[in-house]
């Protein structure tokens, strides 16, 4: 790659002014790859001197060297075209040859002229649409202002997060480190140029985590994406606030050197979905394939998780239910209430079936309001709990997300009971409650053209509009429409899904606002929840246009999932346990941590999307998520929560949002929702999946499997279990033609299982009709 030597200093001058950097003597000749011309980009490499975290001087390399008053540097910049013309690998090897350089960081910058504030900017799990939205509060879960209530025109409003300016004529500076991102990447889509740009890098150099900086000038017509080694931020982002970073630049001596590796993509893009889809395809390209460990079979995970849940069934004045969390109060839906009941029902155990029925009785009798919407919770003493209240408005509110969960999971319970042969125990009151809730969503849609974020259960009014809080509602409506043969609800489900897809995914490149502890911030739960709805619509209708939308949504979901196994501090719990955390799911742009699993679902819709499309990326994504979850489970010899065996908690923390001491350390508590999604994955995902005619073999469980031989009638597999636990592995075999049919929600009931004891190898013969013909233990 030839680098032309044209000088293009405008972006550099803007950047230095934003940081308050004094101009220093030295060559300031930027290096501009022809590769970047399509996005009006140029490139330069610099050394920045700091006092603490305040940048003092910036020295820009010319060609391959830099000389300052105290130091002589060398730069070996190499560029290699990738497999296509739209890929460029760049490596910057930088060494201090002579002299000294105290408190100095090295930086590679990509400067874009002809920039527009309309460009979509994305840093995975940190910034979506540049976070270019009004922000409120200065801390975790800020209260809403009065003008946000009963206001159909309320703008999407986020917490105090790193962001580009929502106001015109105002400069922006976003300082992150690679630990703040699910993938070390910075991306943008330009509507005017019809181009996408993705910059991938590695987590670290020998100096630790690298910095990711985005700087935009006041005119908002020029912007820089920069990677620095090490990261030196003035402020580190927290949970809706900022704190002193404590970052330190490096003191260099002769012979010290680093290598900054990058991969760039410039490609044609007609829309934000094009950027998201491209990102999912390339997210692992520079870090390489991750290496999930087989440590905890899914059957063992289900056994220990269900034991905890069973032990948490209580009888209190309010009613009888499985405790959602660590106290006796009940919370519906987000996070756990009448969701942790589903795996307990799937156990097909008479005791747990009776308990599940008691909880459903309690929910439909105590929590449903006159409108059909449910209240979000109730104290153990029977006092209803309301959410996001404001002193000027007395009407009790509930989360739309919780009601969406309630509809989806109530319908799934009814389907499961019938599939198990226990439809006779379904009470008319349960079905009536489901109908009322579906009708409440329908009435809200007809009245407002959206579902809002918070509703009033007694009246059905939307108290707070906007957000994607109702992401799961179309899925629940679609299932209810099919179950009750009520076509109007399916019409609403289609309309709402199309609305969210166009308004939020296509036009903003984000979904958000469905968690009770954030504002309308972009988050992973709404992304995965909306994918649930899109696949439900495909399941009910067979219309493949929903698959096309689901593929875009899955790409958005992938931006929230750790794509590589991060390096954690050597003294941290995660490092000491050698946990492989690729697959941990980030929470939201406010809650800057990843967690074990999807809140709160198995993610089986990703497997279903793989069946329908054949795109293995979707199967790989849910496999990563399942294996990262297992790494967080508290087991003998693998202690994470220091709590109950089988417990887990919601922190897998690669960032310093909670302070440097939190990086890589678990919290000594437990979260019911992480345990629930572990059980759900163990139930709703097959351990081994085989397409017999194509020879496609996928393994989600913690065993190894290989095809030994196949003929027209059957396939013989070799299954090995190298974990410390016996594995009862669910096997799902079918033909590629059968895979084109949507998978029923209770399909897992028909998957045969094969026992593979710890240390054993088993030879398994299975047909395309999913019938096991023979099992032979080899050792």
């Amino acid at each position: 790659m030839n680098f032309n030597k044209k000088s293009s200093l405008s972006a550099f001058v803007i950047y230095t002014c934003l940081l308050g950097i004094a101009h220093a003597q030295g060559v300031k000749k930027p290096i501009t790859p022809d590769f970047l011309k399509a996005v009006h980009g140029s490139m330069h490499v610099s050394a920045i001197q700091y006092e603490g975290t305040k940048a003092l001087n910036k020295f820009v390399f010319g060609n391959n060297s830099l000389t300052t008053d105290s130091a002589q540097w060398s730069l070996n910049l190499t560029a290699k075209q990738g497999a296509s013309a739209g890929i460029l690998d760049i490596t910057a090897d930088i060494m201090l040859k002579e002299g000294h350089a105290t408190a100095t960081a090295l930086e590679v910058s990509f400067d874009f002229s002809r920039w527009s504030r309309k460009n979509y900017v994305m840093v995975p799990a940190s910034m979506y649409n540049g976070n270019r939205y009004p922000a409120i509060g200065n801390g975790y879960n800020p209260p809403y202002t009065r003008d946000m209530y009963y206001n159909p025109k309320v703008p999407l409003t986020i917490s105090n997060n790193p962001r580009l300016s929502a106001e015109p004529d105002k400069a922006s500076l976003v300082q992150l480190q690679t630990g703040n991102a699910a993938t070390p990447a910075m991306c943008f889509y330009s509507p005017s140029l019809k181009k996408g740009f993705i910059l991938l890098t590695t987590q670290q150099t020998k100096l630790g985590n690298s910095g990711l900086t985005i700087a935009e000038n006041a005119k908002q017509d020029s912007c820089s994406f920069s990677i620095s080694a090490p990261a030196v931020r003035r402020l580190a982002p927290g949970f809706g606030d900022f704190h002193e970073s404590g970052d330190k630049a490096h003191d260099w001596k002769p012979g010290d050197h680093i290598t900054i590796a990058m991969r760039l993509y410039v490609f044609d893009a007609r829309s934000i979905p094009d950027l998201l889809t491209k990102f999912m395809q390339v997210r692992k390209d520079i870090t390489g394939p991750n290496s999930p460990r087989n440590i905890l079979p899914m059957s063992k995970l289900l056994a220990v998780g269900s034991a905890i849940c069973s032990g948490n069934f209580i009888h209190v004045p309010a009613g009888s239910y499985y405790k959602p969390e660590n106290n006796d109060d009940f919370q519906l839906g987000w996070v756990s209430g009448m969701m942790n009941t589903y795996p307990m029902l799937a156990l097909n155990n008479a005791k747990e079936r009776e308990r599940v029925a008691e909880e459903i009785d309690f929910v439909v009798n105590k929590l449903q309001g006159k409108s059909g919407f449910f209240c979000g919770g109730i104290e153990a003493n029977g006092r209803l709990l309301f959410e996001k209240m404001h002193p000027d408005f007395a009407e009790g509110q509930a989360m739309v997300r919780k009601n969406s969960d309630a509809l989806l999971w109530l319908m799934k319970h009814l389907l499961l009971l019938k599939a198990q042969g226990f439809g006779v125990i379904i009470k008319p009151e349960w079905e009536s409650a489901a109908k009322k809730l579906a009708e409440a969503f329908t009435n809200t849609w007809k009245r407002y053209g959206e579902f809002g974020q918070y509703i009033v259960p007694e009246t059905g009014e939307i108290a707070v509009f906007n957000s994607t809080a109702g992401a799961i509602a179309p899925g629940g409506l679609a299932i209810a429409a099919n179950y009750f043969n009520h076509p109007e609800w399916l019409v609403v489900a289609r309309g709402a899904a199309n609305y969210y897809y166009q308004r939020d995914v296509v036009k903003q490149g984000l979904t958000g606002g469905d968690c009770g502890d954030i504002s309308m911030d972009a988050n992973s739960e709404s992304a995965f929840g909306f994918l649930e709805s899109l696949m439900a619509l495909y399941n009910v209708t067979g219309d493949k246009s929903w698959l096309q939308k689901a593929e875009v949504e899955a790409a958005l979901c992938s931006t929230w999932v750790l794509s590589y196994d991060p390096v954690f501090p050597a003294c941290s719990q995660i490092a000491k346990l050698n946990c492989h955390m690729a697959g941990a799911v980030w929470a939201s742009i406010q809650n800057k941590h990843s967690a074990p699993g999807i809140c709160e679902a198995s993610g089986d819709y990703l497997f279903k999307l793989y069946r329908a499309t054949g795109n293995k990326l979707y199967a790989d994504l849910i496999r990563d998520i399942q294996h990262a979850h297992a790494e967080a489970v508290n087991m003998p010899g693998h202690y994470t929560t220091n709590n109950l065996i089988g417990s887990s908690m919601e922190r897998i923390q690669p960032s310093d949002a909670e302070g440097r001491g939190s990086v890589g350390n678990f919290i000594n508590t437990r979260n019911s929702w992480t345990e629930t999604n572990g059980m759900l994955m163990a139930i709703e995902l097959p351990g081994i999946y085989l397409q017999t005619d194509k020879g496609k073999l996928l393994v989600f469980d913690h065993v190894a499997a290989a095809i030994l031989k196949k003929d027209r009638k059957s396939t013989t597999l070799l299954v090995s279990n190298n974990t410390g636990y016996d594995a009862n592995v669910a096997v799902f075999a079918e033909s590629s033609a059968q895979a084109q049919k949507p998978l029923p929600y209770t399909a897992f009931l028909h998957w045969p299982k094969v026992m593979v004891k710890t240390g054993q190898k088993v030879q398994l013969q299975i047909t395309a009709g999913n019938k096991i013909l023979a099992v032979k233990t080899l050792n």
Side-chain angles (χ1 to χ4, degrees):
M1 171 61 65
N2 294 318
F3 297 97
N4 78 48
K5 300 178 182 178
K6 288 184 179 179
S7 178
S8 176
L9 294 178
S10 59
F12 161 65
V13 173
I14 294 160
Y15 178 75
T16 56
C17 290
L18 281 170
L19 290 178
I21 300 174
H23 288 274
Q25 291 182 351
V27 179
K28 300 183 182 64
K29 186 180 293 183
I31 304 167
T32 309
D34 294 338
F35 180 85
L36 293 173
K37 283 184 176 180
V39 286
H40 301 287
S42 61
M43 173 184 172
H44 71 267
V45 181
S46 58
I48 303 176
Q49 186 180 37
Y50 288 87
E51 180 180 9
T53 57
K54 181 181 179 181
L56 297 178
N57 297 301
K58 179 171 182 173
F59 306 93
V60 178
F61 283 78
N63 291 336
N64 57 5
S65 65
L66 170 66
T67 301
T68 69
D69 292 341
S70 62
Q72 184 175 348
W73 301 83
S74 67
L75 167 65
N76 181 19
L77 194 64
T78 60
K80 180 181 178 181
Q81 184 173 307
S84 70
I87 305 172
L88 186 70
D89 289 318
I90 299 179
T91 302
D93 291 305
I94 310 170
M95 183 175 71
L96 181 66
K97 294 177 65 178
E98 298 178 11
H100 66 277
T102 59
T104 299
L106 300 173
E107 185 175 80
V108 178
S109 296
F110 298 90
D111 309 317
F112 303 99
S113 60
R114 302 191 193 178
W115 182 260
S116 170
R117 64 175 283 118
K118 295 181 180 179
N119 288 356
Y120 171 81
V121 177
M122 191 268 286
V123 177
S126 284
M127 291 181 70
Y128 292 84
N129 208 14
N131 292 351
R132 207 187 288 271
Y133 298 101
I136 56 172
N138 190 38
Y140 177 76
N141 192 18
Y144 279 1
T145 56
R146 189 185 190 284
D147 62 331
M148 293 178 68
Y149 290 84
Y150 300 97
N151 177 10
K153 296 183 179 180
V154 64
L156 192 149
T157 304
I158 64 174
S159 306
N160 186 15
N161 301 307
R163 59 194 182 274
L164 300 179
S165 175
E167 305 169 29
D169 302 318
K170 186 176 181 180
S172 303
L173 179 65
V174 173
Q175 293 181 312
L176 306 169
Q177 54 135 310
T178 48
N180 292 119
T183 299
M186 294 179 283
C187 318
F188 73 82
Y189 159 67
S190 169
S192 61
L193 300 176
K194 299 297 180 186
K195 294 288 183 182
F197 173 82
I198 296 174
L199 167 60
L200 300 177
T201 189
T202 57
Q203 177 195 352
Q204 295 186 331
T205 67
K206 63 177 63 178
L207 301 181
N209 283 4
S210 296
L212 303 175
T213 299
I214 300 176
E216 186 181 66
N217 69 332
K219 290 184 178 180
Q220 299 173 353
D221 61 3
S222 181
C223 188
S224 295
F225 285 14
S226 303
I227 301 170
S228 65
V232 185
R233 303 156 297 165
R234 290 291 298 273
L235 298 173
F239 283 22
D241 58 9
F242 293 84
H243 56 270
E244 295 291 336
S245 70
D247 291 345
K248 294 182 180 179
H250 186 61
D251 293 331
W252 296 75
K253 61 183 185 297
D256 285 351
H257 74 280
I258 62 160
T259 300
I260 300 176
M262 296 150 284
R263 174 167 282 191
L264 277 61
Y265 301 83
V266 175
F267 52 95
D268 294 335
R270 296 168 298 170
S271 63
I272 291 172
D274 286 347
L275 176 72
L276 296 173
T277 302
K278 180 71 170 182
F279 174 81
M280 187 176 191
Q281 295 168 358
V282 306
R283 58 196 275 269
K284 295 184 179 183
D285 279 7
I286 194 166
T287 52
N290 52 291
S291 305
R293 301 193 301 174
N294 290 334
I295 60 173
L296 182 61
M298 294 160 85
S299 57
K300 184 65 176 179
L301 176 62
L302 177 60
V304 293
S306 59
I308 293 174
C309 191
S310 181
N312 279 336
F313 192 81
I314 59 173
H315 303 277
V316 294
S320 301
Y321 48 82
Y322 298 95
K323 291 197 300 184
E325 285 295 333
N326 293 314
N327 59 51
D328 290 347
D329 297 339
F330 182 83
Q331 183 164 246
L332 179 65
W334 185 90
V335 284
S336 290
M338 219 175 71
M339 300 164 83
N340 52 7
T341 48
Y342 190 79
M344 303 309 289
L345 183 60
L347 295 176
N348 212 6
N349 174 292
K351 175 183 175 181
E352 302 301 341
R353 187 181 306 113
E354 183 178 335
R355 287 174 161 187
V356 170
E358 286 187 70
E359 181 165 320
I360 297 175
D361 277 340
F362 153 71
V363 169
V364 301
N365 291 327
K366 293 290 183 72
L367 295 181
Q368 194 161 33
K370 291 179 181 178
S371 70
F373 286 118
F374 285 85
C375 294
I378 188 170
E379 292 180 353
N381 61 17
R383 188 175 74 91
L384 290 174
L385 294 171
F386 298 107
E387 296 148 327
K388 212 68 171 182
M389 298 297 292
H390 188 280
D392 289 354
F393 305 101
E395 302 88 349
Q397 296 175 192
M399 289 167 55
V400 170
R401 159 70 183 278
K402 288 186 176 182
N403 278 275
S404 302
D405 286 338
L407 181 58
L408 176 81
W409 287 97
L410 181 51
M411 294 312 306
K412 289 186 68 172
H413 281 74
L414 299 180
L415 291 172
L416 181 54
L417 282 166
K418 287 192 172 184
Q420 288 175 324
F422 295 103
V424 66
I425 75 170
I426 295 174
K427 296 181 180 180
E429 293 87 351
W430 301 354
E431 292 188 329
S432 176
K435 289 179 180 178
K436 289 177 182 176
L437 182 53
E439 197 62 29
F441 274 110
T442 299
N443 291 336
T444 298
W445 176 258
K446 289 179 177 179
R447 181 177 178 184
Y448 298 107
E450 66 166 282
F451 295 134
Q453 186 182 26
Y454 289 89
I455 50 85
V456 180
E458 284 301 287
T459 65
E461 290 181 279
I462 293 179
V464 179
F465 288 78
N466 211 334
S467 86
T468 330
I472 298 170
L477 283 168
I479 298 170
N482 194 50
Y483 182 96
F484 291 111
N485 191 24
H486 201 297
E488 184 185 21
W489 297 343
L490 185 57
V491 172
V492 173
R494 286 193 181 105
N498 280 319
Y499 172 77
Y500 282 133
Y501 183 75
Q502 291 298 326
R503 186 196 68 175
D504 296 348
V505 180
V506 173
K507 294 182 180 178
Q508 299 186 95
L510 62 87
T511 60
D514 67 337
C515 297
D517 62 343
I518 63 174
S519 302
M520 299 175 186
D521 303 57
N523 76 330
S524 64
E525 297 177 35
S526 58
F528 282 102
F530 191 43
L531 181 56
E532 172 96 68
S533 284
L534 294 171
M535 290 305 295
L537 282 159
Y538 170 65
N539 180 284
V540 169
T541 68
D543 182 351
K544 291 192 175 183
S545 68
W546 296 113
L547 289 180
Q548 296 166 3
K549 294 179 175 67
E551 291 199 81
V552 173
E553 188 63 20
L556 177 59
C557 290
S558 77
T559 69
W560 289 102
V561 181
L562 273 173
S563 58
Y564 69 106
D565 295 317
V567 176
F568 291 95
C571 61
S572 68
Q573 291 172 282
I574 292 178
K576 288 179 179 178
L577 290 173
N578 191 32
C579 296
H580 295 199
M581 286 307 190
V585 181
W586 285 73
S588 65
I589 59 170
Q590 176 196 267
N591 296 356
K592 299 170 179 65
H593 68 86
S594 58
I598 302 163
C599 184
E600 181 167 8
S602 67
D604 63 329
Y605 35 77
L606 282 164
F607 169 64
K608 293 173 181 177
L609 185 58
Y610 163 73
R611 285 181 72 248
T613 64
N615 188 337
K616 191 170 177 289
L617 291 177
Y618 309 132
D620 290 345
L621 184 60
I622 190 58
R623 177 210 59 177
D624 285 353
I625 292 170
Q626 198 286 330
H627 279 69
H629 178 278
E631 295 278 8
V633 178
N634 194 63
M635 296 296 290
H638 186 86
Y639 296 106
T640 57
T641 66
N642 292 327
N643 205 297
L644 301 172
I645 294 299
S647 63
S648 55
M649 40 61 64
E650 64 182 13
R651 291 288 201 281
I652 297 170
Q653 183 55 283
S655 86
D656 60 355
E658 299 169 276
R660 287 179 179 271
S662 68
V663 181
N665 287 322
F666 296 109
I667 297 176
N668 295 328
T669 185
R670 56 170 290 272
N671 293 101
S672 174
W673 73 263
T674 61
E675 295 158 6
T676 298
N677 69 40
M679 292 190 287
L680 289 170
M681 285 187 280
I683 290 168
E684 294 188 310
L685 294 175
I688 296 173
Y689 174 70
L690 172 68
Q691 280 188 17
T692 52
D693 55 331
K694 299 291 186 181
K696 291 183 178 179
L697 179 66
L698 296 176
V699 182
F700 298 103
D701 209 337
H702 290 231
V703 295
I707 297 175
L708 291 180
K709 60 181 179 180
K710 63 188 291 291
D711 55 36
R712 290 190 304 170
K713 293 184 178 180
S714 67
T715 302
T716 301
L717 303 177
L718 178 65
V719 184
S720 308
N721 177 9
N722 294 320
T723 73
Y725 305 97
D726 295 345
N728 198 20
V729 184
V731 184
F732 178 22
E734 64 178 348
S735 68
S736 56
Q738 291 169 323
Q740 293 304 302
K741 298 177 182 178
L743 195 65
Y745 282 92
T746 57
F748 60 85
L749 294 175
H750 307 291
W751 296 338
K753 294 185 177 181
V754 58
M755 176 60 72
V756 189
K757 293 184 178 295
T758 177
Q760 270 190 351
K761 293 182 180 180
V762 167
Q763 190 170 296
L764 167 69
Q765 186 181 7
I766 193 166
T767 70
N770 211 32
K771 302 293 184 183
I772 294 179
L773 300 180
V775 178
K776 180 182 179 181
T777 302
L778 301 182
N779 62 330

